[in-house]
Amino acid sequence: MYNNNNRYNNTNKQHGNNINNSNNITIKITGGGINPQMNGRDFTNFIFKKTRYNLHNWQVPPQNQQLQGQFYQFYGEVNSKNIAQQLCSFSGMLKYNNINPPLRFEQVQNSNTNTNAINSFSSNTTSGAGKVLNEFVMQRYNPTAKMLNLSNYIQDPVLQTTGLLNNTTKLTLGLLKIVDLLQKNNGIIIETLDLSGNGFKDLSPIKDLPLIIPNLVNLSLSNNMISRSALFGIHWKNKFKKMRELILINNPMCSSPSFQNDLMSAFPKLILLDSQIIRDETKVNTLYNILPGTTPVEAGKLKQFFFESEDISSYTTQFLGNFFKLWDDQMNRNQLISLYQQESQFSISVDSSIPPASIETSDQHPNFNVYNNLNRNLNKLPMSSSQNTKNNRIARLYKGNIDIGTAFNQLPSVKHFLIEDPTNYSIQNVKYSSINGMVISIHGYFEENGDPLDKASMPKSSGGNTKRSGRYNSYSHGTSIKYGKKSFDRTICLIPGDNGIPIIVSDLLNIRSHVSAAWNYETPKPITPPSSASSTNMNTAMPAQNEILIANTPQEKEQLCLKVQQYTKLNQQWAIMLCEQSNWNYELAIRGFNSSVGNIPPTAYQ
């Protein structure tokens, strides 16, 4: 059995740095390779390398430890319940020294958590301390403003009769319990909460506040002693979905350089911080109004935003908003380098094909010159026995934050419009469970507006008419750089890092000629046949043209092909090919055309 009295008594001198924190969560690990003779430091380094999470206060199995089944148990601690849950998601996925069976991670339940303390607090509000606290809360509640004023409650004389002022932690838990009961039983609604002047040094006494008042809009924690703004991200990140205003003045953390960024990161909808506007509320609302579940998808339209689960939707939107804000600020773009590690990869591929002229708002004369030296399009860099070709392919895959930063400086100044024009962007996000990460894909456009910081690798303008003719000449050789709009596809793979800061392990950027958003497709309206169609074809005993969706007979296939031609403007040969590939299903044919329209050659059109 695991002995709490002996948990840090390591006779092998292989223990981690002691981090004494009442909020630590104990993790039990079992599996192949765990034994009393193991090297604990090597094992914890292995865990960190595979999961990016540190184990503190770890203990290798003592010689006299009883086996659990056939396995010894290795114990360690992590800093929060969220990290514990994330670490346990790796259970069964890792093998230490390739020894079977795989490692199993299990959270050891602590009996002294705030949640249990709140739940165990007396719910009797008719007598004793419960009655005093209940009356105190109701006296401080304003139903008209939906506001609860709990400022300076640790000095309130009314509470002295409860005897709880001698234990402010227990008093806080009692008040939260009463608030929870009043919301459930009396139906009171709290949108504004004042907790100023109560001597909080951190968020531990109130860390479960999001569970009790999840719809809190305004919160004041001014005149306390909270020293670390990062605590808000650790305990409350993305938990207050409606938090709009936060007041934190007269706390030591307010002097930290990262103070505002930490709060903006923790609360994606925060507009006011200490009465100062930190975000444009109209833009924030516009962005969140198009998230999944807030706007119904009209019939015939593709879903513009897809998130595998609701818990990652706000995180993804917030991450991309902050990412492109720094990306577009050329002087501060290198701040993003901190998100890339030594094994991270970044590459650019230029799709230089010209969109068909039939596509409205498409750029028929794109210029990709500024990306020439970074382009890793493998169609442009084919594999061959040439050592120069091999070196070129390797050199254009940027690895590590230093090389990636060098590549960033060779890219032009740009502006994305994710917040200003969200309807022209599409985002998909799925979880990557094997590495406890996620893959984000975003499609949209940006506008080039200036030269790169590093101009040494820019193409030089030269005299003479060296420009090749033809519509497929995407590189305007011999000309100066012409900036404009570009469409792009970007795929970013994220894994969690220390203190909740994400790590970008892979970043693939595809740049192409600007076209309108491909996902704004609508089901085509019925098309009237042209007057040149023969009367015999129109008078045959078959359904009306707007009812032909799947063709079986030769006559139906002829009409369906004509209908596809009129919508797509394809010539007969390509229209027949499209119909055959779609098994003569009209909807499938139109979807197939819209999804591959950028790859159809000009000769395919009428």
Side-chain angles (χ1 to χ4, degrees):
M1 295 294 291
Y2 178 55
N3 188 344
N4 276 324
N5 295 326
N6 257 340
R7 60 186 303 192
Y8 302 122
N9 179 20
N10 193 329
T11 58
N12 294 311
K13 307 294 184 183
Q14 293 182 343
H15 54 83
N17 294 330
N18 283 344
I19 299 180
N20 297 319
N21 188 335
S22 60
N23 298 320
N24 283 356
I25 304 296
T26 302
I27 300 293
K28 178 176 68 177
I29 309 173
T30 58
I34 296 179
N35 59 76
Q37 288 75 41
M38 70 188 298
N39 187 311
R41 175 60 62 193
D42 288 348
F43 182 69
T44 54
N45 287 341
F46 167 80
I47 297 297
F48 176 77
K49 181 178 179 181
K50 295 297 183 181
T51 68
R52 310 303 296 180
Y53 292 119
N54 271 318
L55 284 172
H56 308 295
N57 303 329
W58 47 263
Q59 178 193 31
V60 300
Q63 294 287 346
N64 60 350
Q65 185 187 82
Q66 296 182 5
L67 292 178
Q68 179 178 331
Q70 299 178 351
F71 309 115
Y72 288 99
Q73 304 107 55
F74 183 101
Y75 288 92
E77 293 185 346
V78 292
N79 295 335
S80 71
K81 186 176 182 181
N82 180 55
I83 294 178
Q85 292 172 345
Q86 298 292 340
L87 189 57
C88 289
S89 68
F90 286 92
S91 187
M93 297 182 182
L94 308 178
K95 291 183 180 180
Y96 182 52
N97 292 335
N98 292 321
I99 299 177
N100 282 317
L103 299 176
R104 297 286 176 181
F105 297 84
E106 181 182 347
Q107 179 178 331
V108 177
Q109 297 295 330
N110 296 331
S111 60
N112 59 346
T113 62
N114 274 3
T115 302
N116 290 336
I118 290 176
N119 291 334
S120 64
F121 196 91
S122 174
S123 59
N124 182 8
T125 59
T126 59
S127 62
K131 179 180 180 181
V132 176
L133 293 180
N134 186 78
E135 292 176 352
F136 176 78
V137 170
M138 290 305 299
Q139 289 175 358
R140 294 240 184 162
Y141 175 64
N142 183 339
T144 304
K146 299 178 182 177
M147 174 181 176
L148 178 60
N149 180 6
L150 294 181
S151 62
N152 297 300
Y153 64 78
I154 61 171
Q155 299 177 358
D156 195 284
V158 175
L159 298 179
Q160 289 182 354
T161 58
T162 66
L164 293 175
L165 288 181
N166 297 326
N167 188 334
T168 56
T169 299
K170 188 175 182 180
L171 172 60
T172 303
L173 295 176
L175 288 171
L176 292 180
K177 178 66 176 179
I178 296 298
V179 170
D180 191 32
L181 290 174
L182 287 173
Q183 288 181 121
K184 292 177 180 177
N185 301 333
N186 296 45
I188 72 171
I189 299 174
I190 300 172
E191 293 183 352
T192 300
L193 177 64
D194 187 350
L195 287 170
S196 60
N198 288 303
F200 297 133
K201 296 181 180 179
D202 53 39
L203 300 182
S204 299
I206 55 173
K207 70 175 185 179
D208 292 311
L209 193 60
L211 299 175
I212 299 172
I213 317 177
N215 295 320
L216 199 60
V217 178
N218 311 294
L219 174 65
S220 174
L221 286 168
S222 62
N223 300 313
N224 281 288
M225 295 183 290
I226 304 173
S227 59
R228 294 176 56 207
S229 55
L231 293 173
F232 289 84
I234 295 173
H235 294 299
W236 290 353
K237 187 176 181 67
N238 293 324
K239 292 186 177 180
F240 285 112
K241 303 293 185 180
K242 298 182 179 180
M243 183 68 71
R244 181 181 180 274
E245 181 177 7
L246 195 58
I247 299 177
L248 298 171
I249 57 175
N250 294 331
N251 278 278
M253 63 180 166
C254 297
S255 59
S256 169
S258 63
F259 170 65
Q260 180 170 312
N261 287 337
D262 288 342
L263 274 301
M264 292 180 70
S265 175
F267 305 107
K269 289 188 177 181
L270 190 66
I271 305 299
L272 294 170
L273 178 60
D274 292 339
S275 302
Q276 300 296 316
I277 297 176
I278 59 173
R279 284 193 178 104
D280 187 322
E281 189 167 14
T282 302
K283 292 180 179 179
V284 170
N285 291 336
T286 300
L287 185 60
Y288 277 88
N289 284 339
I290 59 175
L291 287 175
T294 58
T295 302
V297 180
E298 299 177 21
K301 283 192 175 182
L302 297 177
K303 194 168 185 179
Q304 183 185 351
F305 293 86
F306 172 80
F307 301 94
E308 185 173 329
S309 59
E310 185 178 352
D311 62 309
I312 62 176
S313 62
S314 60
Y315 175 86
T316 304
T317 308
Q318 175 196 352
F319 171 81
L320 290 176
N322 292 334
F323 183 89
F324 287 121
K325 180 180 179 181
L326 288 174
W327 184 270
D328 293 347
D329 186 350
Q330 196 175 29
M331 299 305 297
N332 290 314
R333 185 180 292 173
N334 273 333
Q335 290 186 26
L336 294 171
I337 297 304
S338 62
L339 301 179
Y340 299 80
Q341 300 295 311
Q342 193 58 37
E343 298 301 319
S344 299
Q345 298 183 357
F346 170 73
S347 64
I348 293 176
S349 175
V350 175
D351 180 357
S352 58
S353 59
I354 309 298
S358 59
I359 299 180
E360 297 181 2
T361 69
S362 62
D363 184 359
Q364 295 295 298
H365 305 284
N367 188 309
F368 300 105
N369 276 6
V370 72
Y371 306 105
N372 281 354
N373 292 330
L374 294 90
N375 182 16
R376 200 174 183 262
N377 187 332
L378 298 184
N379 289 325
K380 300 289 183 181
L381 300 171
M383 179 63 76
S384 71
S385 58
S386 168
Q387 190 62 39
N388 287 337
T389 300
K390 293 180 180 178
N391 291 341
N392 226 355
R393 293 163 66 96
I394 295 173
R396 298 189 184 196
L397 177 61
Y398 299 94
K399 295 185 67 174
N401 49 16
I402 296 177
D403 288 346
I404 291 174
T406 301
F408 284 1
N409 287 336
Q410 297 179 44
L411 293 170
S413 173
V414 298
K415 168 63 177 172
H416 292 77
F417 299 89
L418 178 60
I419 295 180
E420 296 86 347
D421 186 20
T423 57
N424 276 296
Y425 289 78
S426 177
I427 302 172
Q428 297 86 39
N429 190 354
V430 294
K431 293 181 178 178
Y432 195 172
S433 301
S434 60
I435 59 173
N436 195 31
M438 61 179 67
V439 179
I440 304 173
S441 295
I442 179 169
H443 315 272
Y445 74 97
F446 60 79
E447 190 172 278
E448 301 160 329
N449 53 34
D451 291 339
L453 289 177
D454 181 3
K455 300 181 176 63
S457 59
M458 289 179 63
K460 302 298 188 295
S461 176
S462 61
N465 185 13
T466 61
K467 181 178 178 181
R468 295 179 296 173
S469 60
R471 61 173 307 178
Y472 294 103
N473 174 28
S474 61
Y475 298 99
S476 302
H477 293 277
T479 65
S480 59
I481 291 179
K482 176 185 176 183
Y483 292 127
K485 289 183 180 180
K486 297 289 190 298
S487 290
F488 76 95
D489 315 284
R490 194 160 191 167
T491 302
I492 299 174
C493 181
L494 296 175
I495 61 173
D498 294 337
N499 298 322
I501 299 175
I503 295 173
I504 299 177
V505 295
S506 176
D507 185 358
L508 306 177
L509 174 59
N510 179 58
I511 300 173
R512 48 193 170 83
S513 182
H514 180 255
V515 294
S516 58
W519 47 87
N520 286 341
Y521 113 88
E522 297 182 3
T523 303
K525 297 179 181 179
I527 302 173
T528 305
S531 57
S532 60
S534 64
S535 58
T536 55
N537 288 339
M538 297 303 298
N539 293 328
T540 53
M542 58 184 298
Q545 184 173 344
N546 59 4
E547 296 177 355
I548 300 176
L549 297 178
I550 301 177
N552 297 303
T553 67
Q555 293 87 355
E556 290 177 343
K557 290 181 179 180
E558 181 180 351
Q559 293 299 318
L560 186 65
C561 184
L562 177 63
K563 189 175 181 180
V564 169
Q565 274 188 273
Q566 291 179 330
Y567 177 80
T568 63
K569 309 302 181 186
L570 292 171
N571 60 36
Q572 187 179 41
Q573 178 185 356
W574 277 78
I576 292 174
M577 189 190 314
L578 178 62
C579 291
E580 288 177 343
Q581 291 176 348
S582 306
N583 202 23
W584 295 97
N585 184 310
Y586 179 76
E587 286 193 14
L588 293 180
I590 299 304
R591 288 187 185 182
F593 171 80
N594 283 323
S595 64
S596 59
V597 64
N599 299 321
I600 298 176
T603 55
Y605 294 92
Q606 301 174 10

